Amino acid sequence: MLDPITGSPILMALAALAIFAVAVTAIKFAIKIAIRVGIVAAVVLVGLYTVGALDILPF
């Protein structure tokens, strides 16, 4: 099944470029999601601390 792909260097290069593009896109998407989740978590924790539901700080 992979013999036609592995037999041609041009197809191998195109497959490598496609894999690289997918990996870069997935990493960018994961970073955006992680930043948004972190911001939401920070806002929720600040809100809970302000209300007094959390006793994180000693003062």
Side-chain angles (χ1 to χ4, degrees):
M1 184 173 112
L2 291 177
D3 191 35
I5 294 175
T6 56
S8 171
I10 295 173
L11 288 178
M12 286 295 289
L14 287 175
L17 286 175
I19 291 171
F20 179 73
V22 168
V24 168
T25 304
I27 290 170
K28 284 183 179 180
F29 184 71
I31 289 172
K32 285 182 184 178
I33 294 296
I35 290 172
R36 290 178 184 165
V37 168
I39 290 172
V40 169
V43 169
V44 168
L45 286 175
V46 167
L48 287 174
Y49 180 73
T50 304
V51 171
L54 295 178
D55 244 348
I56 299 173
L57 300 177
F59 49 85

